[in-house]
Amino acid sequence: MSISPTPDPSPPLARARGGRGTEVLTQIARAKINLTLRVTDRRADGYHELESLVVFADIADTLTLEPAGHVSVAVTGPFADVIGAASDNLIVKAFDRLAALMPGLKGGRFNLDKHIPVAAGIGGGSADAAAALRLLARLNDLSFDDARIMTAALQTGADVPVCVGSRACVMTGIGERLTPPLDLPALPAVLVNPRVAVATRDVFAALGRAGLPQHADRLGDVPRGFDGLIDYLHGHGNDLTDAAIACAPVVGEVLAALRALPGVRLARMSGSGATCFAIFSSASEAEAAARALAGRGWWVTPTILAAAP
């Protein structure tokens, strides 16, 4: 496994007092945005090989951990009522995978304040699991670059390793190979989710029926300037878009609405959907776009897509 260790992406660890004087540890779980996504192969085990340029948004969940003798997860926040067992159990799964590598691992009560839409193609569950691993590393005085952290991350889910560091990079394989962090410009953007959950397995099944796309080239060097990066992104898309639209036609409606906005530089779907994003030249344009999309019943938020927290 060739994952480069990365530093803790969160601000200095927040601590608060919990019950009986225990310390409550806090981590931020930022949404992952696939600026590009190529499906390069299907492996014999059924997993797909990917190549994706990833950045992180400032929309995030917050995860806290209060040390205790047992592990539990409680969920609050705007998406608490729609979070499914598969999503919140990624936190428990991350604990279990790390505990298998570290007998005697200390855990506790996790509390998740859920602000990232569920099954939305922006890595909410994966970001939560990665935040759980960072919290466990802190609680157990484990060096953040300990290889067991990233081993447990990959065993938890394909998108978890990139969320551990939450820094812009190109990820390949099934998510286990990450380039060193990239220095990219901040990208003012608006995120839109039509409040329709799209199962990743259904999207990949639709892609399989249509046939894997063929690519003659690789991503290559990623430009560091804003205009150069936008031009580059126009040449590298998301191979899952048509498959996602086949599963949820509203994704096409969202993309059409984003592409019609004044000042939009690029509109695209992230991951396997259904969340889409549009990039603008300024934060004020992104905020205006968010206001223009209000009233449709969609989840809409302006954000900054950044290379690092």
Side-chain angles (χ1 to χ4, degrees):
M1 184 166 51
S2 56
I3 300 175
S4 301
T6 53
D8 188 338
S10 294
L13 184 68
R15 297 176 182 268
R17 288 292 174 183
R20 300 179 182 177
T22 59
E23 287 187 321
V24 178
L25 312 181
T26 302
Q27 287 277 311
I28 300 300
R30 291 176 172 82
K32 169 194 64 68
I33 305 298
N34 300 90
L35 293 179
T36 70
L37 197 159
R38 285 182 171 179
V39 182
T40 59
D41 196 10
R42 187 177 189 276
R43 306 190 327 184
D45 61 7
Y47 286 97
H48 288 81
E49 296 271 340
L50 306 175
E51 184 180 47
S52 180
L53 174 60
V54 174
V55 293
F56 288 82
D58 56 10
I59 179 73
D61 296 337
T62 301
L63 185 67
T64 63
L65 173 60
E66 183 177 355
H70 67 283
V71 174
S72 62
V73 179
V75 186
T76 59
F79 288 97
D81 59 338
V82 296
I83 192 167
S87 298
D88 67 313
N89 278 348
L90 280 182
I91 293 171
V92 177
K93 185 177 180 181
F95 174 85
D96 290 342
R97 295 299 183 267
L98 189 57
L101 301 170
M102 289 187 61
L105 183 74
K106 292 183 291 185
R109 291 183 286 270
F110 290 98
N111 286 276
L112 176 64
D113 186 15
K114 190 68 182 169
H115 288 257
I116 301 175
V118 177
I122 52 177
S126 296
D128 298 338
L133 290 171
R134 296 196 299 269
L135 287 170
L136 292 168
R138 297 283 193 174
L139 180 62
N140 290 273
D141 296 319
L142 185 64
S143 173
F144 196 72
D145 62 0
D146 190 301
R148 290 173 291 186
I149 295 291
M150 294 306 261
T151 298
L154 183 60
Q155 291 175 351
T156 302
D159 276 346
V160 181
V162 75
C163 292
V164 169
S166 295
R167 281 166 163 76
C169 67
V170 174
M171 67 176 193
T172 57
I174 61 170
E176 82 279 17
R177 296 195 297 271
L178 309 177
T179 66
L182 299 173
D183 181 18
L184 300 180
L187 303 172
V190 61
L191 301 180
V192 179
N193 182 279
R195 299 186 186 274
V196 172
V198 178
T200 299
R201 64 179 178 275
D202 293 342
V203 174
F204 275 101
L207 179 71
R209 291 191 293 271
L212 294 183
Q214 300 298 314
H215 297 289
D217 59 343
R218 309 294 284 183
L219 282 180
D221 293 335
V222 180
R224 303 301 195 263
F226 182 88
D227 290 332
L229 179 59
I230 295 297
D231 289 342
Y232 170 89
L233 293 176
H234 277 288
H236 302 278
N238 183 337
D239 287 346
L240 296 179
T241 303
D242 289 344
I245 292 173
C247 294
V250 69
V251 172
E253 297 175 25
V254 171
L255 287 171
L258 289 174
R259 288 166 180 155
L261 290 168
V264 65
R265 301 292 300 273
L266 178 84
R268 180 161 294 164
M269 185 183 78
S270 177
S272 56
T275 303
C276 299
F277 62 91
I279 296 174
F280 298 84
S281 298
S282 68
S284 60
E285 288 178 313
E287 291 163 1
R291 291 192 296 269
L293 294 171
R296 296 175 182 245
W298 298 340
W299 175 82
V300 180
T301 184
T303 188
I304 298 294
L305 308 181

PDB file of all heavy atoms in Angstrom, residues 47-85:
ATOM      1  N   TYR A  47     -13.856  -4.448  -7.727  1.00  0.00           N
ATOM      2  CA  TYR A  47     -13.571  -3.037  -7.495  1.00  0.00           C
ATOM      3  C   TYR A  47     -13.101  -2.368  -8.787  1.00  0.00           C
ATOM      4  O   TYR A  47     -12.556  -3.026  -9.675  1.00  0.00           O
ATOM      5  CB  TYR A  47     -12.485  -2.868  -6.424  1.00  0.00           C
ATOM      6  CG  TYR A  47     -12.967  -3.133  -5.023  1.00  0.00           C
ATOM      7  CD1 TYR A  47     -12.763  -4.381  -4.420  1.00  0.00           C
ATOM      8  CD2 TYR A  47     -13.609  -2.148  -4.287  1.00  0.00           C
ATOM      9  CE1 TYR A  47     -13.205  -4.635  -3.124  1.00  0.00           C
ATOM     10  CE2 TYR A  47     -14.048  -2.388  -2.998  1.00  0.00           C
ATOM     11  CZ  TYR A  47     -13.836  -3.629  -2.420  1.00  0.00           C
ATOM     12  OH  TYR A  47     -14.268  -3.866  -1.156  1.00  0.00           O
ATOM     13  N   HIS A  48     -13.334  -1.063  -8.853  1.00  0.00           N
ATOM     14  CA  HIS A  48     -12.911  -0.303 -10.031  1.00  0.00           C
ATOM     15  C   HIS A  48     -11.676   0.532  -9.716  1.00  0.00           C
ATOM     16  O   HIS A  48     -11.559   1.113  -8.632  1.00  0.00           O
ATOM     17  CB  HIS A  48     -14.034   0.634 -10.501  1.00  0.00           C
ATOM     18  CG  HIS A  48     -15.173  -0.088 -11.146  1.00  0.00           C
ATOM     19  ND1 HIS A  48     -16.169  -0.713 -10.423  1.00  0.00           N
ATOM     20  CD2 HIS A  48     -15.485  -0.280 -12.458  1.00  0.00           C
ATOM     21  CE1 HIS A  48     -17.044  -1.258 -11.252  1.00  0.00           C
ATOM     22  NE2 HIS A  48     -16.656  -1.004 -12.488  1.00  0.00           N
ATOM     23  N   GLU A  49     -10.744   0.559 -10.650  1.00  0.00           N
ATOM     24  CA  GLU A  49      -9.573   1.424 -10.544  1.00  0.00           C
ATOM     25  C   GLU A  49      -9.973   2.831 -10.986  1.00  0.00           C
ATOM     26  O   GLU A  49     -10.631   3.007 -12.023  1.00  0.00           O
ATOM     27  CB  GLU A  49      -8.448   0.905 -11.444  1.00  0.00           C
ATOM     28  CG  GLU A  49      -7.909  -0.462 -11.044  1.00  0.00           C
ATOM     29  CD  GLU A  49      -6.776  -0.367 -10.052  1.00  0.00           C
ATOM     30  OE1 GLU A  49      -6.159   0.727  -9.959  1.00  0.00           O
ATOM     31  OE2 GLU A  49      -6.505  -1.370  -9.354  1.00  0.00           O
ATOM     32  N   LEU A  50      -9.578   3.806 -10.182  1.00  0.00           N
ATOM     33  CA  LEU A  50      -9.965   5.187 -10.436  1.00  0.00           C
ATOM     34  C   LEU A  50      -8.741   6.092 -10.531  1.00  0.00           C
ATOM     35  O   LEU A  50      -7.653   5.739 -10.088  1.00  0.00           O
ATOM     36  CB  LEU A  50     -10.863   5.703  -9.308  1.00  0.00           C
ATOM     37  CG  LEU A  50     -12.107   4.888  -8.960  1.00  0.00           C
ATOM     38  CD1 LEU A  50     -12.798   5.481  -7.745  1.00  0.00           C
ATOM     39  CD2 LEU A  50     -13.054   4.821 -10.143  1.00  0.00           C
ATOM     40  N   GLU A  51      -8.958   7.251 -11.088  1.00  0.00           N
ATOM     41  CA  GLU A  51      -7.967   8.326 -11.091  1.00  0.00           C
ATOM     42  C   GLU A  51      -8.749   9.618 -10.883  1.00  0.00           C
ATOM     43  O   GLU A  51      -9.624   9.948 -11.683  1.00  0.00           O
ATOM     44  CB  GLU A  51      -7.209   8.355 -12.418  1.00  0.00           C
ATOM     45  CG  GLU A  51      -6.101   9.386 -12.468  1.00  0.00           C
ATOM     46  CD  GLU A  51      -5.392   9.368 -13.813  1.00  0.00           C
ATOM     47  OE1 GLU A  51      -6.082   9.364 -14.851  1.00  0.00           O
ATOM     48  OE2 GLU A  51      -4.156   9.367 -13.825  1.00  0.00           O
ATOM     49  N   SER A  52      -8.455  10.324  -9.784  1.00  0.00           N
ATOM     50  CA  SER A  52      -9.292  11.466  -9.437  1.00  0.00           C
ATOM     51  C   SER A  52      -8.483  12.568  -8.781  1.00  0.00           C
ATOM     52  O   SER A  52      -7.664  12.312  -7.894  1.00  0.00           O
ATOM     53  CB  SER A  52     -10.417  11.033  -8.484  1.00  0.00           C
ATOM     54  OG  SER A  52     -11.238  12.133  -8.126  1.00  0.00           O
ATOM     55  N   LEU A  53      -8.732  13.802  -9.204  1.00  0.00           N
ATOM     56  CA  LEU A  53      -8.179  14.990  -8.558  1.00  0.00           C
ATOM     57  C   LEU A  53      -9.179  15.429  -7.500  1.00  0.00           C
ATOM     58  O   LEU A  53     -10.334  15.716  -7.806  1.00  0.00           O
ATOM     59  CB  LEU A  53      -7.943  16.099  -9.574  1.00  0.00           C
ATOM     60  CG  LEU A  53      -7.505  17.459  -9.022  1.00  0.00           C
ATOM     61  CD1 LEU A  53      -6.190  17.353  -8.259  1.00  0.00           C
ATOM     62  CD2 LEU A  53      -7.374  18.475 -10.166  1.00  0.00           C
ATOM     63  N   VAL A  54      -8.734  15.471  -6.251  1.00  0.00           N
ATOM     64  CA  VAL A  54      -9.612  15.685  -5.113  1.00  0.00           C
ATOM     65  C   VAL A  54      -9.226  16.955  -4.363  1.00  0.00           C
ATOM     66  O   VAL A  54      -8.041  17.226  -4.160  1.00  0.00           O
ATOM     67  CB  VAL A  54      -9.549  14.475  -4.152  1.00  0.00           C
ATOM     68  CG1 VAL A  54     -10.342  14.733  -2.884  1.00  0.00           C
ATOM     69  CG2 VAL A  54     -10.061  13.229  -4.847  1.00  0.00           C
ATOM     70  N   VAL A  55     -10.228  17.738  -3.961  1.00  0.00           N
ATOM     71  CA  VAL A  55     -10.031  18.862  -3.051  1.00  0.00           C
ATOM     72  C   VAL A  55     -11.091  18.738  -1.944  1.00  0.00           C
ATOM     73  O   VAL A  55     -11.923  17.831  -1.974  1.00  0.00           O
ATOM     74  CB  VAL A  55     -10.159  20.229  -3.755  1.00  0.00           C
ATOM     75  CG1 VAL A  55      -9.029  20.437  -4.745  1.00  0.00           C
ATOM     76  CG2 VAL A  55     -11.515  20.356  -4.449  1.00  0.00           C
ATOM     77  N   PHE A  56     -11.054  19.667  -1.001  1.00  0.00           N
ATOM     78  CA  PHE A  56     -11.979  19.595   0.128  1.00  0.00           C
ATOM     79  C   PHE A  56     -12.698  20.925   0.318  1.00  0.00           C
ATOM     80  O   PHE A  56     -12.118  21.989   0.125  1.00  0.00           O
ATOM     81  CB  PHE A  56     -11.245  19.170   1.400  1.00  0.00           C
ATOM     82  CG  PHE A  56     -10.856  17.721   1.351  1.00  0.00           C
ATOM     83  CD1 PHE A  56      -9.706  17.328   0.683  1.00  0.00           C
ATOM     84  CD2 PHE A  56     -11.663  16.751   1.905  1.00  0.00           C
ATOM     85  CE1 PHE A  56      -9.361  15.983   0.588  1.00  0.00           C
ATOM     86  CE2 PHE A  56     -11.326  15.410   1.818  1.00  0.00           C
ATOM     87  CZ  PHE A  56     -10.172  15.020   1.157  1.00  0.00           C
ATOM     88  N   ALA A  57     -13.971  20.841   0.685  1.00  0.00           N
ATOM     89  CA  ALA A  57     -14.810  22.020   0.867  1.00  0.00           C
ATOM     90  C   ALA A  57     -14.784  22.463   2.322  1.00  0.00           C
ATOM     91  O   ALA A  57     -14.343  21.725   3.208  1.00  0.00           O
ATOM     92  CB  ALA A  57     -16.241  21.709   0.440  1.00  0.00           C
ATOM     93  N   ASP A  58     -15.294  23.668   2.585  1.00  0.00           N
ATOM     94  CA  ASP A  58     -15.367  24.118   3.964  1.00  0.00           C
ATOM     95  C   ASP A  58     -16.697  23.759   4.620  1.00  0.00           C
ATOM     96  O   ASP A  58     -16.925  24.087   5.784  1.00  0.00           O
ATOM     97  CB  ASP A  58     -15.081  25.620   4.088  1.00  0.00           C
ATOM     98  CG  ASP A  58     -15.999  26.484   3.236  1.00  0.00           C
ATOM     99  OD1 ASP A  58     -16.986  25.950   2.683  1.00  0.00           O
ATOM    100  OD2 ASP A  58     -15.729  27.691   3.120  1.00  0.00           O
ATOM    101  N   ILE A  59     -17.586  23.069   3.893  1.00  0.00           N
ATOM    102  CA  ILE A  59     -18.761  22.482   4.515  1.00  0.00           C
ATOM    103  C   ILE A  59     -18.303  21.196   5.193  1.00  0.00           C
ATOM    104  O   ILE A  59     -17.547  20.418   4.609  1.00  0.00           O
ATOM    105  CB  ILE A  59     -19.894  22.216   3.490  1.00  0.00           C
ATOM    106  CG1 ILE A  59     -21.111  21.581   4.171  1.00  0.00           C
ATOM    107  CG2 ILE A  59     -19.411  21.327   2.360  1.00  0.00           C
ATOM    108  CD1 ILE A  59     -21.887  22.532   5.025  1.00  0.00           C
ATOM    109  N   ALA A  60     -18.744  20.969   6.433  1.00  0.00           N
ATOM    110  CA  ALA A  60     -18.170  19.856   7.184  1.00  0.00           C
ATOM    111  C   ALA A  60     -19.121  19.346   8.253  1.00  0.00           C
ATOM    112  O   ALA A  60     -20.017  20.055   8.727  1.00  0.00           O
ATOM    113  CB  ALA A  60     -16.859  20.293   7.845  1.00  0.00           C
ATOM    114  N   ASP A  61     -18.915  18.087   8.643  1.00  0.00           N
ATOM    115  CA  ASP A  61     -19.504  17.526   9.844  1.00  0.00           C
ATOM    116  C   ASP A  61     -18.534  17.791  10.994  1.00  0.00           C
ATOM    117  O   ASP A  61     -17.345  18.040  10.780  1.00  0.00           O
ATOM    118  CB  ASP A  61     -19.713  16.015   9.707  1.00  0.00           C
ATOM    119  CG  ASP A  61     -20.706  15.649   8.618  1.00  0.00           C
ATOM    120  OD1 ASP A  61     -21.537  16.508   8.262  1.00  0.00           O
ATOM    121  OD2 ASP A  61     -20.636  14.504   8.126  1.00  0.00           O
ATOM    122  N   THR A  62     -19.034  17.709  12.211  1.00  0.00           N
ATOM    123  CA  THR A  62     -18.187  17.806  13.394  1.00  0.00           C
ATOM    124  C   THR A  62     -18.355  16.533  14.211  1.00  0.00           C
ATOM    125  O   THR A  62     -19.482  16.106  14.493  1.00  0.00           O
ATOM    126  CB  THR A  62     -18.563  19.028  14.258  1.00  0.00           C
ATOM    127  OG1 THR A  62     -18.421  20.207  13.485  1.00  0.00           O
ATOM    128  CG2 THR A  62     -17.656  19.124  15.485  1.00  0.00           C
ATOM    129  N   LEU A  63     -17.235  15.921  14.568  1.00  0.00           N
ATOM    130  CA  LEU A  63     -17.258  14.677  15.325  1.00  0.00           C
ATOM    131  C   LEU A  63     -16.531  14.882  16.651  1.00  0.00           C
ATOM    132  O   LEU A  63     -15.406  15.392  16.667  1.00  0.00           O
ATOM    133  CB  LEU A  63     -16.586  13.552  14.531  1.00  0.00           C
ATOM    134  CG  LEU A  63     -16.645  12.150  15.149  1.00  0.00           C
ATOM    135  CD1 LEU A  63     -18.087  11.635  15.180  1.00  0.00           C
ATOM    136  CD2 LEU A  63     -15.756  11.174  14.372  1.00  0.00           C
ATOM    137  N   THR A  64     -17.174  14.506  17.734  1.00  0.00           N
ATOM    138  CA  THR A  64     -16.537  14.572  19.043  1.00  0.00           C
ATOM    139  C   THR A  64     -16.415  13.175  19.615  1.00  0.00           C
ATOM    140  O   THR A  64     -17.153  12.256  19.237  1.00  0.00           O
ATOM    141  CB  THR A  64     -17.328  15.458  20.024  1.00  0.00           C
ATOM    142  OG1 THR A  64     -18.630  14.887  20.238  1.00  0.00           O
ATOM    143  CG2 THR A  64     -17.482  16.872  19.472  1.00  0.00           C
ATOM    144  N   LEU A  65     -15.470  13.020  20.539  1.00  0.00           N
ATOM    145  CA  LEU A  65     -15.243  11.739  21.197  1.00  0.00           C
ATOM    146  C   LEU A  65     -15.033  11.981  22.683  1.00  0.00           C
ATOM    147  O   LEU A  65     -14.122  12.702  23.088  1.00  0.00           O
ATOM    148  CB  LEU A  65     -14.008  11.044  20.601  1.00  0.00           C
ATOM    149  CG  LEU A  65     -13.540   9.763  21.313  1.00  0.00           C
ATOM    150  CD1 LEU A  65     -14.646   8.705  21.303  1.00  0.00           C
ATOM    151  CD2 LEU A  65     -12.269   9.229  20.644  1.00  0.00           C
ATOM    152  N   GLU A  66     -15.911  11.398  23.476  1.00  0.00           N
ATOM    153  CA  GLU A  66     -15.777  11.440  24.933  1.00  0.00           C
ATOM    154  C   GLU A  66     -15.303  10.071  25.391  1.00  0.00           C
ATOM    155  O   GLU A  66     -16.002   9.067  25.191  1.00  0.00           O
ATOM    156  CB  GLU A  66     -17.112  11.782  25.586  1.00  0.00           C
ATOM    157  CG  GLU A  66     -17.019  11.915  27.090  1.00  0.00           C
ATOM    158  CD  GLU A  66     -18.338  12.325  27.717  1.00  0.00           C
ATOM    159  OE1 GLU A  66     -19.295  12.593  26.962  1.00  0.00           O
ATOM    160  OE2 GLU A  66     -18.402  12.383  28.958  1.00  0.00           O
ATOM    161  N   PRO A  67     -14.120   9.976  25.952  1.00  0.00           N
ATOM    162  CA  PRO A  67     -13.591   8.675  26.368  1.00  0.00           C
ATOM    163  C   PRO A  67     -14.577   7.923  27.258  1.00  0.00           C
ATOM    164  O   PRO A  67     -15.205   8.503  28.152  1.00  0.00           O
ATOM    165  CB  PRO A  67     -12.313   9.043  27.127  1.00  0.00           C
ATOM    166  CG  PRO A  67     -11.897  10.356  26.549  1.00  0.00           C
ATOM    167  CD  PRO A  67     -13.185  11.079  26.254  1.00  0.00           C
ATOM    168  N   ALA A  68     -14.718   6.640  26.981  1.00  0.00           N
ATOM    169  CA  ALA A  68     -15.619   5.784  27.755  1.00  0.00           C
ATOM    170  C   ALA A  68     -15.184   4.339  27.560  1.00  0.00           C
ATOM    171  O   ALA A  68     -14.363   4.031  26.689  1.00  0.00           O
ATOM    172  CB  ALA A  68     -17.077   5.983  27.323  1.00  0.00           C
ATOM    173  N   GLY A  69     -15.777   3.465  28.342  1.00  0.00           N
ATOM    174  CA  GLY A  69     -15.406   2.060  28.272  1.00  0.00           C
ATOM    175  C   GLY A  69     -16.077   1.300  27.155  1.00  0.00           C
ATOM    176  O   GLY A  69     -15.795   0.120  26.954  1.00  0.00           O
ATOM    177  N   HIS A  70     -16.970   1.937  26.428  1.00  0.00           N
ATOM    178  CA  HIS A  70     -17.633   1.288  25.302  1.00  0.00           C
ATOM    179  C   HIS A  70     -17.710   2.282  24.152  1.00  0.00           C
ATOM    180  O   HIS A  70     -17.561   3.493  24.344  1.00  0.00           O
ATOM    181  CB  HIS A  70     -19.034   0.830  25.691  1.00  0.00           C
ATOM    182  CG  HIS A  70     -19.969   1.965  25.979  1.00  0.00           C
ATOM    183  ND1 HIS A  70     -19.926   2.673  27.156  1.00  0.00           N
ATOM    184  CD2 HIS A  70     -20.960   2.536  25.234  1.00  0.00           C
ATOM    185  CE1 HIS A  70     -20.843   3.620  27.142  1.00  0.00           C
ATOM    186  NE2 HIS A  70     -21.491   3.571  25.982  1.00  0.00           N
ATOM    187  N   VAL A  71     -17.954   1.768  22.961  1.00  0.00           N
ATOM    188  CA  VAL A  71     -18.033   2.610  21.764  1.00  0.00           C
ATOM    189  C   VAL A  71     -19.495   2.756  21.351  1.00  0.00           C
ATOM    190  O   VAL A  71     -20.220   1.763  21.218  1.00  0.00           O
ATOM    191  CB  VAL A  71     -17.202   2.017  20.607  1.00  0.00           C
ATOM    192  CG1 VAL A  71     -17.401   2.826  19.332  1.00  0.00           C
ATOM    193  CG2 VAL A  71     -15.726   1.991  20.976  1.00  0.00           C
ATOM    194  N   SER A  72     -19.911   4.004  21.124  1.00  0.00           N
ATOM    195  CA  SER A  72     -21.262   4.269  20.647  1.00  0.00           C
ATOM    196  C   SER A  72     -21.216   5.490  19.743  1.00  0.00           C
ATOM    197  O   SER A  72     -20.246   6.253  19.760  1.00  0.00           O
ATOM    198  CB  SER A  72     -22.216   4.522  21.823  1.00  0.00           C
ATOM    199  OG  SER A  72     -21.817   5.673  22.553  1.00  0.00           O
ATOM    200  N   VAL A  73     -22.271   5.672  18.947  1.00  0.00           N
ATOM    201  CA  VAL A  73     -22.362   6.808  18.038  1.00  0.00           C
ATOM    202  C   VAL A  73     -23.751   7.418  18.173  1.00  0.00           C
ATOM    203  O   VAL A  73     -24.768   6.724  18.042  1.00  0.00           O
ATOM    204  CB  VAL A  73     -22.133   6.395  16.569  1.00  0.00           C
ATOM    205  CG1 VAL A  73     -22.261   7.610  15.646  1.00  0.00           C
ATOM    206  CG2 VAL A  73     -20.775   5.741  16.394  1.00  0.00           C
ATOM    207  N   ALA A  74     -23.800   8.724  18.437  1.00  0.00           N
ATOM    208  CA  ALA A  74     -25.050   9.484  18.434  1.00  0.00           C
ATOM    209  C   ALA A  74     -24.953  10.530  17.332  1.00  0.00           C
ATOM    210  O   ALA A  74     -23.876  11.082  17.084  1.00  0.00           O
ATOM    211  CB  ALA A  74     -25.276  10.153  19.789  1.00  0.00           C
ATOM    212  N   VAL A  75     -26.075  10.801  16.668  1.00  0.00           N
ATOM    213  CA  VAL A  75     -26.064  11.709  15.519  1.00  0.00           C
ATOM    214  C   VAL A  75     -27.078  12.824  15.736  1.00  0.00           C
ATOM    215  O   VAL A  75     -28.236  12.581  16.095  1.00  0.00           O
ATOM    216  CB  VAL A  75     -26.395  10.959  14.209  1.00  0.00           C
ATOM    217  CG1 VAL A  75     -26.241  11.895  13.011  1.00  0.00           C
ATOM    218  CG2 VAL A  75     -25.507   9.737  14.046  1.00  0.00           C
ATOM    219  N   THR A  76     -26.628  14.060  15.499  1.00  0.00           N
ATOM    220  CA  THR A  76     -27.499  15.230  15.514  1.00  0.00           C
ATOM    221  C   THR A  76     -27.261  16.006  14.218  1.00  0.00           C
ATOM    222  O   THR A  76     -26.460  15.597  13.377  1.00  0.00           O
ATOM    223  CB  THR A  76     -27.198  16.127  16.724  1.00  0.00           C
ATOM    224  OG1 THR A  76     -25.831  16.559  16.665  1.00  0.00           O
ATOM    225  CG2 THR A  76     -27.426  15.393  18.030  1.00  0.00           C
ATOM    226  N   GLY A  77     -27.927  17.142  14.071  1.00  0.00           N
ATOM    227  CA  GLY A  77     -27.677  17.984  12.909  1.00  0.00           C
ATOM    228  C   GLY A  77     -28.736  17.851  11.834  1.00  0.00           C
ATOM    229  O   GLY A  77     -29.649  17.022  11.921  1.00  0.00           O
ATOM    230  N   PRO A  78     -28.624  18.669  10.771  1.00  0.00           N
ATOM    231  CA  PRO A  78     -29.655  18.729   9.728  1.00  0.00           C
ATOM    232  C   PRO A  78     -29.922  17.407   9.013  1.00  0.00           C
ATOM    233  O   PRO A  78     -31.029  17.197   8.507  1.00  0.00           O
ATOM    234  CB  PRO A  78     -29.099  19.778   8.749  1.00  0.00           C
ATOM    235  CG  PRO A  78     -28.154  20.599   9.553  1.00  0.00           C
ATOM    236  CD  PRO A  78     -27.564  19.673  10.549  1.00  0.00           C
ATOM    237  N   PHE A  79     -28.915  16.529   8.939  1.00  0.00           N
ATOM    238  CA  PHE A  79     -29.111  15.268   8.216  1.00  0.00           C
ATOM    239  C   PHE A  79     -29.145  14.069   9.153  1.00  0.00           C
ATOM    240  O   PHE A  79     -28.999  12.928   8.713  1.00  0.00           O
ATOM    241  CB  PHE A  79     -28.014  15.090   7.150  1.00  0.00           C
ATOM    242  CG  PHE A  79     -28.183  16.029   5.982  1.00  0.00           C
ATOM    243  CD1 PHE A  79     -27.468  17.220   5.932  1.00  0.00           C
ATOM    244  CD2 PHE A  79     -29.069  15.755   4.962  1.00  0.00           C
ATOM    245  CE1 PHE A  79     -27.621  18.100   4.876  1.00  0.00           C
ATOM    246  CE2 PHE A  79     -29.239  16.638   3.905  1.00  0.00           C
ATOM    247  CZ  PHE A  79     -28.519  17.815   3.861  1.00  0.00           C
ATOM    248  N   ALA A  80     -29.380  14.334  10.438  1.00  0.00           N
ATOM    249  CA  ALA A  80     -29.445  13.231  11.399  1.00  0.00           C
ATOM    250  C   ALA A  80     -30.600  12.284  11.111  1.00  0.00           C
ATOM    251  O   ALA A  80     -30.492  11.074  11.309  1.00  0.00           O
ATOM    252  CB  ALA A  80     -29.563  13.790  12.810  1.00  0.00           C
ATOM    253  N   ASP A  81     -31.718  12.832  10.616  1.00  0.00           N
ATOM    254  CA  ASP A  81     -32.906  12.004  10.417  1.00  0.00           C
ATOM    255  C   ASP A  81     -32.830  11.131   9.176  1.00  0.00           C
ATOM    256  O   ASP A  81     -33.640  10.210   9.019  1.00  0.00           O
ATOM    257  CB  ASP A  81     -34.162  12.880  10.353  1.00  0.00           C
ATOM    258  CG  ASP A  81     -34.111  13.906   9.230  1.00  0.00           C
ATOM    259  OD1 ASP A  81     -33.002  14.227   8.782  1.00  0.00           O
ATOM    260  OD2 ASP A  81     -35.182  14.382   8.796  1.00  0.00           O
ATOM    261  N   VAL A  82     -31.871  11.401   8.288  1.00  0.00           N
ATOM    262  CA  VAL A  82     -31.786  10.594   7.062  1.00  0.00           C
ATOM    263  C   VAL A  82     -30.535   9.734   7.029  1.00  0.00           C
ATOM    264  O   VAL A  82     -30.345   8.954   6.099  1.00  0.00           O
ATOM    265  CB  VAL A  82     -31.806  11.483   5.801  1.00  0.00           C
ATOM    266  CG1 VAL A  82     -33.135  12.203   5.692  1.00  0.00           C
ATOM    267  CG2 VAL A  82     -30.652  12.469   5.791  1.00  0.00           C
ATOM    268  N   ILE A  83     -29.688   9.868   8.040  1.00  0.00           N
ATOM    269  CA  ILE A  83     -28.466   9.067   8.023  1.00  0.00           C
ATOM    270  C   ILE A  83     -28.832   7.606   8.235  1.00  0.00           C
ATOM    271  O   ILE A  83     -29.674   7.271   9.059  1.00  0.00           O
ATOM    272  CB  ILE A  83     -27.467   9.567   9.084  1.00  0.00           C
ATOM    273  CG1 ILE A  83     -26.084   8.943   8.872  1.00  0.00           C
ATOM    274  CG2 ILE A  83     -27.938   9.262  10.502  1.00  0.00           C
ATOM    275  CD1 ILE A  83     -24.983   9.606   9.679  1.00  0.00           C
ATOM    276  N   GLY A  84     -28.219   6.741   7.431  1.00  0.00           N
ATOM    277  CA  GLY A  84     -28.533   5.327   7.490  1.00  0.00           C
ATOM    278  C   GLY A  84     -27.508   4.564   8.285  1.00  0.00           C
ATOM    279  O   GLY A  84     -26.445   5.066   8.628  1.00  0.00           O
ATOM    280  N   ALA A  85     -27.820   3.317   8.579  1.00  0.00           N
ATOM    281  CA  ALA A  85     -26.915   2.496   9.376  1.00  0.00           C
ATOM    282  C   ALA A  85     -25.553   2.363   8.719  1.00  0.00           C
ATOM    283  O   ALA A  85     -24.521   2.355   9.377  1.00  0.00           O
ATOM    284  CB  ALA A  85     -27.532   1.113   9.593  1.00  0.00           C
TER     285      ALA A  85
END
